[in-house]
Amino acid sequence: MLFTAENSFEDISNKVVADFGCGCGTLGTAAALLGAEHVIGIDVDTQALEIASLNAEDLEVIDYVQCDIKNLVWKGRNVDTVVMNPPFGTRKKGADMDFLCIALKVASQAVYSLHKTSTRDHVRRAALRDFNASSAEVLCELRYDVPQLYKFHKKKEVDIAVDLWRFVPK
């Protein structure tokens, strides 16, 4: 995701990047390693943020904020690019759309996000019509092998088709 964002669109290096739902910080760390000017990782889970902070302790360009994305009121630095792997909205319907809506309000240049391929038409329609994106493009389709990580996961693992999207805010 980050390699494509940088090498195809120059959306990472020398940019301010926000990682929404950063978890252990993988996307934010990748942005820092690709030369982001500053990275802000945001997650609701304080334990995940502690792990992210440990994972990136040698990278001085990353700050972490504990916040529920739905309650985010952006007053900080201007953000050029938002990267995210939001919840797919399987357990809590529309969770991925909450992330996308906020991301398109915060980013000035681009939003990169992963969404289930089965929701492609809905994601495109919502981004362009409801969330005011000027463009919504699927860059590639990926396959995720999701292991049973949480109590609510009923199967040992599930193979899911996922789209990598690039959205441009108006």
Side-chain angles (χ1 to χ4, degrees):
M1 176 193 285
L2 279 289
F3 181 84
T4 299
E6 176 55 25
N7 290 297
S8 296
F9 301 98
E10 299 180 346
D11 284 333
I12 303 298
S13 65
N14 302 311
K15 305 287 192 261
V16 176
V17 177
D19 179 359
F20 281 11
C22 67
C24 65
T26 304
L27 298 178
T29 299
L33 293 171
L34 286 168
E37 175 187 318
H38 190 79
V39 178
I40 303 117
I42 301 169
D43 204 291
V44 70
D45 185 338
T46 53
Q47 287 182 312
L49 290 171
E50 287 174 20
I51 294 167
S53 186
L54 288 171
N55 288 341
E57 66 185 344
D58 292 335
L59 301 170
E60 297 176 4
V61 299
I62 303 179
D63 291 315
Y64 294 101
V65 177
Q66 193 273 327
C67 179
D68 185 325
I69 287 296
K70 292 182 297 191
N71 300 328
L72 182 66
V73 178
W74 199 264
K75 294 180 182 175
R77 302 175 71 150
N78 286 339
V79 171
D80 300 299
T81 304
V82 172
V83 296
M84 59 186 187
N85 179 9
F88 289 145
T90 304
R91 183 168 182 229
K92 184 180 175 286
K93 188 175 171 77
D96 57 336
M97 295 289 93
D98 292 340
F99 274 71
L100 182 57
C101 177
I102 302 298
L104 282 164
K105 290 177 182 173
V106 170
S108 64
Q109 198 167 310
V111 173
Y112 291 86
S113 187
L114 297 167
H115 297 269
K116 286 171 50 177
T117 300
S118 62
T119 65
R120 184 179 290 173
D121 292 338
H122 171 69
V123 170
R124 178 177 283 112
R125 191 170 40 253
L128 296 172
R129 183 188 64 204
D130 303 332
F131 304 153
N132 236 4
S134 65
S135 71
E137 178 185 5
V138 174
L139 301 179
C140 65
E141 184 178 321
L142 310 163
R143 302 296 298 190
Y144 260 27
D145 213 13
V146 180
Q148 186 178 27
L149 296 173
Y150 303 102
K151 291 178 184 175
F152 64 86
H153 286 167
K154 299 199 179 357
K155 297 180 182 175
K156 186 175 179 183
E157 70 180 23
V158 179
D159 183 49
I160 300 174
V162 177
D163 289 338
L164 170 56
W165 287 86
R166 181 177 190 262
F167 302 95
V168 176
K170 281 191 180 170

